Amino acid sequence: MAERSFDTTIPKAYDAKSVESRWYAEWVDRGYFRADPTRVSKDRPPFCIVLPPPNVTGALHIGHALQQTLQDVPIRRRRMQGYETLWLPGTDHAGIATQVVVERHLRSQGVEDPRSLGREAFVDRVWEWKEQYGNRIVEQMQALGNSCDWSRLRFTMDEQLSRAVRVAFVRMYEDDLIYRGERIVNWCPTDQTALSDSELEHDEVEGELVTFRYPLSDGSGHIDVATTRVETMLGDTGVAVHPDDERYRHLVGKTVRHPFSGQDLPIVADSAVDPGFGTGAVKVTPAHDATDFETAERTGLPRLNILNGDGTISDAAPGGFAGLDRYEARRRVYQVLRERGLIVKEERPYVHSVGRCYRCHSEIEPWLSGKQWFVAVSRLAGPAKEAAESGRVRFFPLRWVGPYTAWLDNLRDWNISRQLWWGHRIPVWYCEDGHEFAAVEDPDTCPECGSGRIEQDPDVLDTWFSSQLWPFSTLGWPDETDDLRAFYPTSVLVTGYEILYLWVARMIMSGLYLVSPGSTRTGDPIPYEHVVIHGLVRDEKNRKMSKSLGNVIDPLEVIERFGADALRFAVVRLASPEQQNYPMGLRDADAGRNFANKIWNAARLVFEAAPEVGVREIRAPKSASLLQSWLLSRHEACRAEVDQAMEEYRFDAAAIALHRFLWSEYCDWGLEMAKPALYEGTDDRRTSTWGVLAWVLERTLRLLHPIMPFVTEEIWQRFEAGESIVVAPWPEPHWEHRDEDAERRVSFVEEVVSSLRRFRSDHDVSPSRSISARVIVEGDRREALESLAGEVRRLARLDALDITDETLDSRGSARLVVQGAEVLVPLAGVLDPAVECERIRRRLLDLDGDTVRAEQKLANEGFLAKAPAEVVEAERRKLEGLKEERAGLDAQLVELGCADDAAGSPGER
RNA sequence: GGGCGCUUAGCUCAGCGGUAGAGCGCCGCCCUUACAAGGCGGAGGACCCAGGUUCGAAACCUGGAGCGCCCACCA
């Protein structure tokens, strides 16, 4: 044999760590991830994803790894398909979240009251924090292998993006979509800011429902009201009943006397009251309840704010409760009412839901906190709903359209002002003469009166106000940039369902409103064409991952132990869109690590078996042998499956298909059956076999590359088929390789091998002991078996294999039936007949069940009449085969001398 | 009070009209010159329950149960 020219120094075990660190830097250096809008053309369509920006504050967790891999996979595939791809990365300043983290940090550093630093100094400290930790996210993303265009890294508080925020605000302000008003807001007493409705979490708690009595001022009676927050009665300014409620109609217009203030509170009629709940009368606390606020608006009741921003009772409250914490006040108010005999009923526990701050989980207070800014949503919601219903934006899975439109239907105005320092300051100024105006650029004077004494609104905008602009502000909006024209609308948004409302819906609303159709590539201002919604990663016990539970998995730790490819594979395989939770532990990366190693070693075999001539040439093979046709056919089937799955964003299915093909087909059968040709074959046979193995492997690596970029690149380089797999073309279909005959024939051969292996195992024949076999089979399956006889001998460890189409005397042999063909294994005194009888009996048991079922089916006239002909025919053939096998096995039992305990035929049982 | 999702092998999940699949785990045997991060063989399932549609249902329809989630101004 000629000396081989291949590299035999490839290490036995795949070392993800060293491979991964080498390649990522190389890819970035070569500029593979950089998008260029000028390259976009008819033949080179754009494909763009903007990364949902992680918060600058934290480190990435495993959920980010999932989400990002789900973006990198389509990005890498489209890049290979020749699209001009842009994956635009960035981070979010995350107003409240960051401010809270930095405040906590400062406190730990001895700054007791961070707000005492003053606005400017505090904001400086946050920027310092951001500079320090913002990069960690980038490093993590690079370790994952994400193919982002780092030259376009954005941050929501970048100058350009901040200008976008101001332009958006001013435009909406001038169009009356943003207004300032005094309304009840959700107030977080811990973070001391207002929150939008979407920033609340709802939580069921076991509280109390206390019913107490208000005496009528004229002493003629009383009226009872119920509440779960009895302290709010300090802020009651009236009592409401339903206008049609006969029980109370005569009381409307009278007043009750407040037990602490002594003031007279009017009894009013309002149809918002549900006469069926409680007593049918409601205490009205306009400053601390959204419903009551509206009731008060309609009925003219005054507002009395009895809470301070920190959740303590204010001086405005009667009865000497001022200064008490709200929970303490609840107990005290209850006590005093009780002492005065005014409590008429108590229910404890009373389960009801409370709103909590989505950042710090404190119970929020509905509160009147002066004027707040709102976005009027009614004009925005309609087009956003239409876009989803008409399919201009498509949801994957489709079922999310329902919740999305339902949310838009019930939308209330969006509170966008936050009493924080970290964020985009509201671009509105007030002059001393009471004029109010919004401006994109910082003004010096009031445009109305020219006064220089102007002051900017102290509040900042809700983080989500800037986030909603993300898909276009990152591309240069409000300028009509090349990026915008080339890549907007973006192609896909990949995100979790938890921010469907908070973010996705708002991006669609604002995109449709703000972006001018003429500046986009399609003339549609919609931010993206597809929205892919995935679930959330949980821990192994399916609990939410959180720092306080200590069950957070750091992607870097997984990468360190198993490699980025392993993590990516694990996470993609989990990400079924039907599931809302993905439980995951560290060990789940095992399978991916093993898979990478398996591919590595398969490649090692292929390269080490490379024939001397034509080693590096990979040509589209012309199918030759049965084995080659089979492998090409199976590979093409896999390719088609992967393509389809990826088009449908079923990356889980794509990952499983690739795993199955490579491991169970390519390695277990393809490589194993190729060994005789590779090691003992003629030069021709060796070369052609190797050619197919290499061709298939090289293409499969490309199919797998989007999911496991590193190991595929490392191996692919050895083919010297191009510069990098990152920019190698995506495998084109080769439908002509599908060969169902070859698949059918090889599957017969596989089953012959399996049946012999099982036989060996059943009889405890050690691998070192030889057995021989004779197979009786006709037609093309016989040809198949003959052409693969050497391979079968090797795989089943036979020292002899006879193949014939003549009936043979089966005496003295075990009979195995494979797809109707007989496989005879001479017992030759080496095997225990009792064991063989047992084996046959076990088989007969299964056989009987199958036979009965088949017979019943074929006896069913409906089945014969209505089932498709091929189904009926298949059933007939099956029954026939079963009967033949049964006859053979019965004969065998007789021969082995254990027929006595053999069961009768199925019909007689 | 509405709505959505899930319920399939010990665990985590695919399958979504033609007699049950994967990964991990488990039990045997095997260091067979790609891989012990491996090979070969195996065990293990009233596909939540009850009705219905159908020749045929894990799959489709109706109802129910359990779990999870979302929405909602029951004070």
Side-chain angles (χ1 to χ4, degrees):
Chain A
M1 195 193 279
E3 207 174 303
R4 294 178 182 179
S5 62
F6 50 78
D7 178 5
T8 51
T9 63
I10 310 174
K12 233 171 134 169
Y14 174 63
D15 179 8
K17 223 163 143 183
S18 73
V19 168
E20 291 178 1
S21 57
R22 270 205 330 272
W23 279 114
Y24 194 83
E26 186 66 31
W27 293 333
V28 171
D29 279 354
R30 295 193 199 168
Y32 292 154
F33 306 159
R34 294 189 61 164
D36 180 353
T38 66
R39 284 195 300 232
V40 171
S41 71
K42 269 224 149 40
D43 297 330
R44 193 172 172 78
F47 184 81
C48 175
I49 295 180
V50 292
L51 177 81
N55 295 349
V56 261
T57 46
L60 299 185
H61 53 80
I62 205 85
H64 291 108
L66 167 90
Q67 181 174 79
Q68 292 170 6
T69 306
L70 261 27
Q71 292 167 77
D72 201 27
V73 171
I75 280 280
R76 283 181 181 270
R77 175 161 172 268
R78 292 297 188 214
R79 184 180 294 119
M80 294 172 80
Q81 286 177 322
Y83 287 71
E84 184 64 26
T85 52
L86 167 58
W87 185 12
L88 195 151
T91 50
D92 194 303
H93 69 281
I96 304 177
T98 307
Q99 176 150 347
V100 167
V101 168
V102 175
E103 280 177 0
R104 194 182 307 140
H105 170 74
L106 289 173
R107 273 192 217 101
S108 76
Q109 303 247 303
V111 185
E112 254 176 56
D113 178 9
R115 295 203 189 193
S116 69
L117 291 173
R119 183 166 195 145
E120 231 171 280
F122 179 81
V123 170
D124 284 347
R125 303 295 279 270
V126 184
W127 275 106
E128 280 171 31
W129 174 276
K130 186 257 168 187
E131 295 308 328
Q132 195 176 345
Y133 292 101
N135 280 338
R136 195 168 48 176
I137 290 168
V138 173
E139 284 160 23
Q140 283 177 306
M141 288 187 63
Q142 297 185 337
L144 267 163
N146 293 331
S147 61
C148 310
D149 183 348
W150 295 109
S151 73
R152 283 177 167 82
L153 181 68
R154 297 287 184 265
F155 177 53
T156 47
M157 297 225 323
D158 284 348
E159 208 180 310
Q160 192 271 120
L161 276 75
S162 298
R163 198 165 68 85
V165 167
R166 283 193 171 198
V167 169
F169 186 98
V170 171
R171 198 177 290 178
M172 294 171 82
Y173 177 86
E174 288 172 354
D175 199 14
D176 295 328
L177 283 176
I178 289 181
Y179 65 90
R180 189 162 168 251
E182 187 163 21
R183 294 226 323 249
I184 290 279
V185 294
N186 307 302
W187 185 260
C188 172
T190 306
D191 296 336
Q192 305 241 1
T193 181
L195 297 167
S196 68
D197 295 339
S198 297
E199 288 170 305
L200 300 195
E201 295 172 346
H202 292 276
D203 197 12
E204 299 256 287
V205 296
E206 294 188 345
E208 58 184 13
L209 183 67
V210 174
T211 306
F212 66 93
R213 178 156 296 175
Y214 271 128
L216 293 173
S217 307
D218 60 12
S220 66
H222 55 79
I223 193 162
D224 296 339
V225 294
T227 177
T228 53
R229 297 180 299 153
V230 72
E231 76 283 7
T232 60
M233 63 84 65
L234 298 172
D236 284 358
T237 61
V239 171
V241 297
H242 194 275
D244 301 335
D245 194 332
E246 295 298 339
R247 294 171 295 175
Y248 297 114
R249 183 171 286 181
H250 64 287
L251 296 178
V252 173
K254 292 193 171 192
T255 61
V256 296
R257 184 150 295 154
H258 195 283
F260 299 135
S261 68
Q263 287 195 330
D264 292 330
L265 316 180
I267 298 172
V268 298
D270 189 72
S271 50
V273 176
D274 174 6
F277 186 88
T279 61
V282 187
K283 61 190 274 302
V284 181
T285 322
H288 300 289
D289 185 282
T291 316
D292 291 1
F293 180 84
E294 286 165 17
T295 300
E297 289 272 88
R298 285 189 292 267
T299 57
L301 292 177
R303 304 160 188 171
L304 175 59
N305 192 333
I306 52 104
L307 274 178
N308 297 314
D310 63 359
T312 56
I313 304 297
S314 78
D315 294 339
F321 297 97
L324 291 179
D325 172 78
R326 50 187 165 153
Y327 299 111
E328 180 61 19
R330 184 172 301 169
R331 284 188 288 272
R332 294 284 294 278
V333 168
Y334 165 78
Q335 257 173 26
V336 177
L337 288 175
R338 191 181 172 84
E339 283 160 13
R340 299 202 191 170
L342 293 172
I343 303 286
V344 295
K345 194 178 169 194
E346 308 164 42
E347 281 181 57
R348 260 187 224 92
Y350 181 79
V351 178
H352 63 274
S353 85
V354 299
R356 294 185 186 281
C357 171
Y358 80 135
R359 306 288 7 161
C360 73
H361 311 294
S362 309
E363 210 173 310
I364 65 108
E365 286 295 333
W367 197 49
L368 211 52
S369 69
K371 296 224 169 184
Q372 297 273 352
W373 291 94
F374 294 89
V375 171
V377 293
S378 56
R379 274 160 60 200
L380 301 171
K385 187 180 165 190
E386 183 278 334
E389 284 173 341
S390 68
R392 269 162 73 202
V393 55
R394 287 174 57 194
F395 286 74
F396 295 81
L398 200 58
R399 67 181 144 83
W400 287 106
V401 175
Y404 167 86
T405 53
W407 184 78
L408 288 173
D409 282 339
N410 299 311
L411 202 48
R412 301 204 300 173
D413 285 356
W414 172 20
N415 174 359
I416 50 169
S417 43
R418 298 288 176 275
Q419 290 64 52
L420 302 168
W421 286 344
W422 177 242
H424 300 282
R425 196 143 167 198
I426 289 176
V428 169
W429 284 260
Y430 311 101
C431 89
E432 57 182 354
D433 294 330
H435 300 125
E436 171 192 307
F437 59 97
V440 172
E441 305 295 339
D442 284 5
D444 298 320
T445 56
C446 170
E448 267 186 66
C449 64
S451 164
R453 304 192 49 168
I454 56 173
E455 218 172 288
Q456 188 173 3
D457 193 294
D459 289 355
V460 300
L461 287 164
D462 181 2
T463 298
W464 299 99
F465 189 88
S466 54
S467 307
Q468 70 173 343
L469 312 178
W470 187 249
F472 40 99
S473 65
T474 51
L475 293 172
W477 187 91
D479 298 331
E480 302 199 348
T481 59
D482 290 345
D483 273 4
L484 201 60
R485 209 180 329 273
F487 296 111
Y488 189 93
T490 67
S491 310
V492 193
L493 177 81
V494 179
T495 193
Y497 63 83
E498 84 279 14
I499 51 176
L500 182 60
Y501 311 131
L502 220 44
W503 193 45
V504 179
R506 286 177 181 155
M507 282 189 283
I508 295 175
M509 287 193 283
S510 68
L512 292 178
Y513 173 74
L514 288 168
V515 176
S516 103
S519 65
T520 71
R521 72 182 164 86
T522 58
D524 191 337
I526 197 93
Y528 22 73
E529 295 168 334
H530 294 174
V531 178
V532 175
I533 309 263
H534 60 253
L536 267 33
V537 177
R538 306 256 178 158
D539 75 0
E540 313 96 313
K541 292 172 190 152
N542 209 0
R543 295 173 307 179
K544 207 167 179 170
M545 284 196 184
S546 74
K547 277 181 197 146
S548 52
L549 274 173
N551 59 354
V552 181
I553 300 180
D554 179 357
L556 288 180
E557 192 187 337
V558 183
I559 292 169
E560 176 72 20
R561 279 180 59 182
F562 300 100
D565 283 336
L567 173 58
R568 292 169 64 110
F569 182 80
V571 115
V572 162
R573 210 176 42 134
L574 267 180
S576 158
E578 297 308 318
Q579 222 58 29
Q580 57 187 354
N581 296 318
Y582 309 133
M584 177 161 173
L586 251 185
R587 291 230 320 278
D588 283 300
D590 261 12
R593 190 261 319 255
N594 295 353
F595 187 34
N597 191 242
K598 185 75 178 176
I599 304 163
W600 178 254
N601 279 289
R604 223 155 59 89
L605 183 152
V606 170
F607 287 117
E608 291 184 3
E612 187 181 12
V613 187
V615 177
R616 304 302 183 193
E617 261 178 277
I618 312 268
R619 289 211 189 91
K622 305 226 178 345
S623 64
S625 73
L626 174 60
L627 173 61
Q628 292 165 18
S629 307
W630 167 81
L631 187 58
L632 290 170
S633 181
R634 291 309 306 150
H635 169 261
E636 175 59 19
C638 171
R639 196 229 92 237
E641 199 177 337
V642 168
D643 260 336
Q644 197 196 332
M646 286 195 170
E647 287 296 325
E648 295 166 354
Y649 303 104
R650 289 303 304 261
F651 304 129
D652 58 327
I656 289 165
L658 282 160
H659 185 270
R660 191 212 58 234
F661 172 71
L662 269 173
W663 200 308
S664 307
E665 301 185 72
Y666 186 86
C667 291
D668 288 351
W669 293 104
L671 290 180
E672 292 305 326
M673 288 203 283
K675 281 175 179 174
L678 292 178
Y679 297 149
E680 298 142 25
T682 61
D683 280 358
D684 269 4
R685 212 170 141 227
R686 219 170 87 211
T687 307
S688 70
T689 300
W690 187 85
V692 171
L693 289 176
W695 190 84
V696 168
L697 176 61
E698 188 275 331
R699 277 171 55 97
T700 309
L701 289 172
R702 280 188 272 149
L703 292 173
L704 181 61
H705 176 256
I707 297 172
M708 301 178 83
F710 293 107
V711 68
T712 50
E713 173 76 303
E714 180 70 10
I715 298 169
W716 193 82
Q717 284 295 325
R718 292 168 199 260
F719 281 107
E720 296 182 6
E723 187 178 304
S724 164
I725 196 170
V726 173
V727 289
W730 185 252
E732 291 297 319
H734 274 278
W735 299 109
E736 76 281 6
H737 285 169
R738 282 316 302 276
D739 186 341
E740 309 227 339
D741 271 349
E743 292 194 13
R744 187 174 46 77
R745 289 187 232 180
V746 170
S747 93
F748 170 71
V749 174
E750 285 176 1
E751 281 192 44
V752 169
V753 170
S754 294
S755 71
L756 287 163
R757 284 169 170 170
R758 197 175 312 123
F759 177 82
R760 207 182 248 290
S761 179
D762 284 345
H763 284 277
D764 224 2
V765 181
S766 88
S768 55
R769 262 171 78 193
S770 289
I771 57 173
S772 60
R774 291 186 297 174
V775 182
I776 306 162
V777 60
E778 296 177 337
D780 61 358
R781 290 186 305 176
R782 181 184 155 189
E783 288 165 25
L785 196 59
E786 275 171 348
S787 77
L788 289 169
E791 287 77 1
V792 171
R793 274 199 302 274
R794 181 190 166 92
L795 293 177
R797 296 179 154 267
L798 301 175
D799 57 0
L801 172 64
D802 291 336
I803 301 157
T804 175
D805 53 9
E806 288 163 28
T807 309
L808 292 174
D809 183 356
S810 64
R811 271 178 297 178
S813 295
R815 284 167 48 117
L816 314 172
V817 178
V818 177
Q819 295 181 7
E822 276 187 274
V823 178
L824 303 180
V825 182
L827 294 170
V830 290
L831 303 179
D832 184 349
V835 172
E836 180 60 7
C837 285
E838 181 51 34
R839 191 185 71 78
I840 291 169
R841 278 196 210 96
R842 271 209 319 269
R843 175 67 193 136
L844 280 175
L845 232 53
D846 286 348
L847 214 54
D848 287 354
D850 288 352
T851 306
V852 169
R853 239 166 310 176
E855 281 173 340
Q856 279 171 353
K857 229 172 182 178
L858 287 166
N860 181 337
E861 279 172 32
F863 177 71
L864 296 176
K866 295 191 180 172
E870 66 263 26
V871 174
V872 176
E873 187 44 39
E875 200 62 30
R876 283 215 173 92
R877 272 202 307 273
K878 191 175 81 188
L879 182 59
E880 211 170 299
L882 291 171
K883 282 184 168 163
E884 275 177 34
E885 185 174 358
R886 162 129 209 137
L889 292 174
D890 280 343
Q892 186 98 30
L893 284 178
V894 172
E895 183 195 331
L896 288 167
C898 42
D900 308 346
D901 10 286
S905 73
E908 296 160 354
R909 305 180 83 186

